[in-house]
Amino acid sequence: MEALAPALSEMQRRPLTDEHVAALRTISRVKTYTAGEIVWSAGDPHNEFLFLTEGEIEVVDPLTGGRLIPSTLGPGQFAGDMNFLNGGTTSITIRAARDTTVLVAPRQDMLNLMSRIPEMSDIIITVFAARWRRQAESGDSSLTVVGAEADRKIRAIEAFASRNRIPFRSVALDDAGVQDYFEGDVRPAVMFYPKPPIEDPTPRKVACQIGLDLPIEKGATVDVLIVGAGPSGVAAAVYAGAEGLSAMVVEEAALGGQAGTSSRIENYMGFPTGISGSDLVLRGVIQAMKFGGRFAMPRRVRSLEHRADGKFLATLDDDVTITAGAIVVAAGVQYRRLPFDRLEDFEGAGVYYAATDAEARYCRNAPVHVIGGGNSAGQAAMYLSRTAKHVNVLVRGKSLAASMSDYLSSRLEAEPRITLHYNTQISALHGDEKLARVTLSNAATGDATEMDSAAVFIMVGAAPNTDWLADHVRLDAKGFVKTGADVDADSPYGTSHPGIFAVGDVRAGSVKRVASAVGEGSVVISKVWTYLNDNA
């Protein structure tokens, strides 16, 4: 949350009613804090709901120990953020600014109460969502990334946090006061301040620190395991919860999948001025959490077993197992790694597979190249044109007519800071520790041209994430999952293996659009419910 304050006006407009508070008292205990006492610290389990009846709560600056923001919480307001719904941890430290009395409700009891009183749930979730978004935008968090500009490993963690809307503060090595974060030498690091830097940081370790990667209890069992948290997977989680099914979503990289890398989607119904892919999917994530859906990430399903009792046993990359009655494969696709010499040298140091704020900041006022002729490439080019010196879009074919929406291709052609290069590919990458130049080859003329480039964004050649499925369902020649009539299934989303369903981009023959992915994820749950009911 932007610590409690960003949603203050929202809370004042829609406070909990007297009836809500009366219901809250039935599940709560009364607790008092003296002025200056810590109410909770960053990283604590977010397992209680706090409603203030007297006093005042403030957010603590992790560096100075003073008040982080001017606004505070007072009587009639409540503490917490979206991690409360998912059973995560707190991202900030709060304390009593003066003697304070609160009602404390256990998390599960509060979730049950919210389920029984929808109006109360709506108010709380609206405030939690506002706090989450504002905190992600402002960076008011104890999670601190230092020196991303100097270390590609740290830069990858920053990109992970940014794509997943994890609130964090980014500090450059030459920022004033950076020494305050360290006891010794200043260096690239990731820390959950005031804890010491995370040793050998990875996205997984960061996710564990902040409670995003939920611990999965031994012998965990759910009605449906959803593999992938793109639009189709999140939609499936929303509808599974709405139908009373327990669901767990396992995601390897980022909430939103490829759609999460789109800075602006303009052809999704209901958003006439457009919406970013991450915002669209995160709204769905909040809905899924509201209905009890759980998200575990960054985790990958390594193998799948169909047991004699009809249940599926999924083994994750850390050997944790999950038992499920049905599987929904929504693993999506990933952009192919093109066969460039020195590609690995520049990945994370000039070669990227997403165009979000995290990547765009490293090519401000510099020329960049986008490879691809689809909508994702076009949206990336438009987004990058706001800050890059110039954007060169490289299209292997001779036009965009067959691969990109007309409104988007027309916009690219009209933008003076974008140049479309048809019949063109990159043949070489150049630079020392980071990308500096590229060589372009034109297939029609045979010409080769070297150009300066701060970044290359690869958005071409989608490859399905289906290696772990090969022994269970039929795939087409490109690795996409065959469904429906192609495998004699009684559902458009059924696979050759009963109980395993596939939706979204990973499904052979699917329409590679966000709207269709959401539709498939929503509809498939009715078939999952039927399968579970028939095999109970």
Side-chain angles (χ1 to χ4, degrees):
M1 55 188 162
E2 183 182 341
L4 309 175
L8 185 59
S9 60
E10 183 65 39
M11 287 186 280
Q12 289 172 333
R13 289 196 301 269
R14 302 186 64 193
L16 297 181
T17 67
D18 291 343
E19 291 78 9
H20 297 157
V21 176
L24 178 61
R25 289 183 182 279
T26 65
I27 63 168
S28 301
R29 72 182 192 278
V30 176
K31 186 172 183 178
T32 58
Y33 295 91
T34 58
E37 185 176 357
I38 297 297
V39 176
W40 67 48
S41 297
D44 287 347
H46 200 343
N47 53 18
E48 294 179 329
F49 180 88
L50 270 59
F51 179 87
L52 279 73
T53 57
E54 296 179 33
E56 182 182 15
I57 284 177
E58 64 184 354
V59 181
V60 180
D61 187 315
L63 275 179
T64 68
R67 179 178 291 183
L68 181 63
I69 56 177
S71 301
T72 60
L73 290 181
Q77 297 172 311
F78 50 88
D81 62 18
M82 289 305 302
N83 281 348
F84 177 77
L85 301 182
N86 203 33
T89 61
T90 60
S91 60
I92 56 171
T93 297
I94 60 175
R95 70 184 168 207
R98 52 195 176 94
D99 292 349
T100 299
T101 302
V102 297
L103 299 178
V104 182
R107 175 176 171 272
Q108 192 56 56
D109 291 344
M110 188 63 195
L111 293 177
N112 293 339
L113 183 62
M114 290 166 62
S115 178
R116 295 196 303 270
I117 309 176
E119 296 81 4
M120 181 183 193
S121 177
D122 290 346
I123 294 170
I124 292 171
I125 290 176
T126 296
V127 173
F128 281 180
R131 291 172 179 171
W132 186 14
R133 176 167 183 164
R134 290 295 190 86
Q135 191 185 4
E137 293 173 350
S138 67
D140 288 333
S141 173
S142 292
L143 178 63
T144 305
V145 177
V146 181
E149 76 284 357
D151 188 300
R152 74 176 64 192
K153 180 187 294 185
I154 304 301
R155 190 180 302 184
I157 293 172
E158 184 181 77
F160 169 79
S162 179
R163 286 192 62 189
N164 287 287
R165 304 301 294 273
I166 299 168
F168 70 96
R169 61 176 66 187
S170 183
V171 180
L173 290 176
D174 58 358
D175 280 358
V178 69
Q179 183 66 52
D180 294 339
Y181 290 92
F182 297 91
E183 294 182 356
D185 295 336
V186 174
R187 62 194 184 282
V190 179
M191 63 188 72
F192 203 44
Y193 201 83
K195 297 179 181 179
I198 299 172
E199 185 176 351
D200 190 21
T202 63
R204 179 68 181 280
K205 288 183 178 180
V206 171
C208 289
Q209 285 274 353
I210 64 176
L212 178 65
D213 184 30
L214 298 180
I216 300 174
E217 62 275 12
K218 186 176 181 180
T221 300
V222 293
D223 292 321
V224 55
L225 177 66
I226 301 167
V227 184
S232 58
V234 172
V238 170
Y239 278 79
E243 293 299 323
L245 301 178
S246 59
M248 180 174 291
V249 182
V250 175
E251 168 57 44
E252 182 175 2
L255 299 173
Q258 278 196 340
T261 69
S262 295
S263 58
R264 190 178 185 190
I265 299 172
E266 293 187 73
N267 58 354
Y268 192 87
M269 189 182 73
F271 297 93
T273 59
I275 184 171
S276 73
S278 60
D279 275 349
L280 179 64
V281 175
L282 284 170
R283 291 178 187 224
V285 170
I286 293 169
Q287 285 179 286
M289 289 181 181
K290 171 184 175 180
F291 289 120
R294 300 180 64 197
F295 291 79
M297 65 169 297
R299 298 202 183 207
R300 177 175 55 86
V301 177
R302 190 179 68 209
S303 63
L304 189 65
E305 174 188 345
H306 194 199
R307 303 190 317 199
D309 63 0
K311 301 290 186 180
F312 295 93
L313 184 69
T315 301
L316 307 187
D317 49 358
D318 58 355
D319 294 325
V320 169
T321 59
I322 303 171
T323 300
I327 306 291
V328 172
V329 182
V333 296
Q334 58 190 7
Y335 294 121
R336 295 186 189 277
R337 299 176 74 248
L338 298 180
F340 297 142
D341 288 340
R342 300 190 66 198
L343 177 66
E344 291 185 0
D345 293 345
F346 296 120
E347 285 181 320
V351 173
Y352 306 104
Y353 299 89
T356 66
D357 288 344
E359 294 81 19
R361 62 181 288 199
Y362 297 112
C363 51
R364 185 177 298 275
N365 299 321
V368 302
H369 291 73
V370 177
I371 303 175
N375 277 7
S376 294
Q379 289 159 353
M382 289 302 303
Y383 175 70
L384 293 167
S385 69
R386 301 175 186 174
T387 54
K389 181 178 181 180
H390 198 82
V391 180
N392 298 282
V393 180
L394 312 182
V395 184
R396 186 169 55 181
K398 59 183 180 181
S399 78
L400 293 171
S403 58
M404 186 180 294
S405 296
D406 181 70
Y407 83 90
L408 190 52
S409 61
S410 298
R411 198 167 293 174
L412 296 183
E413 292 169 353
E415 172 55 56
R417 299 178 73 172
I418 295 176
T419 299
L420 298 170
H421 301 263
Y422 295 108
N423 301 305
T424 302
Q425 301 182 64
I426 288 179
S427 56
L429 305 172
H430 310 281
D432 296 323
E433 294 184 357
K434 61 182 180 180
L435 183 70
R437 299 175 309 282
V438 297
T439 298
L440 307 185
S441 297
N442 188 294
T445 65
D447 294 339
T449 306
E450 190 169 306
M451 299 179 68
D452 290 341
S453 184
V456 169
F457 296 86
I458 300 176
M459 297 185 168
V460 66
N465 301 313
T466 55
D467 291 347
W468 59 282
L469 272 176
D471 295 333
H472 300 280
V473 302
R474 288 170 56 190
L475 309 176
D476 69 9
K478 295 181 178 180
F480 291 89
V481 181
K482 288 188 174 183
T483 59
D486 288 345
V487 292
D488 297 324
D490 61 359
S491 159
Y493 314 114
T495 69
S496 57
H497 195 304
I500 301 179
F501 303 83
V503 292
D505 288 3
V506 77
R507 189 175 67 83
S510 66
V511 178
K512 304 301 188 284
R513 291 289 187 269
V514 173
S516 61
V518 171
E520 291 184 12
S522 305
V523 173
V524 73
I525 293 302
S526 65
K527 298 299 181 182
V528 171
W529 192 94
T530 299
Y531 173 81
L532 293 173
N533 190 54
D534 291 345
N535 291 273

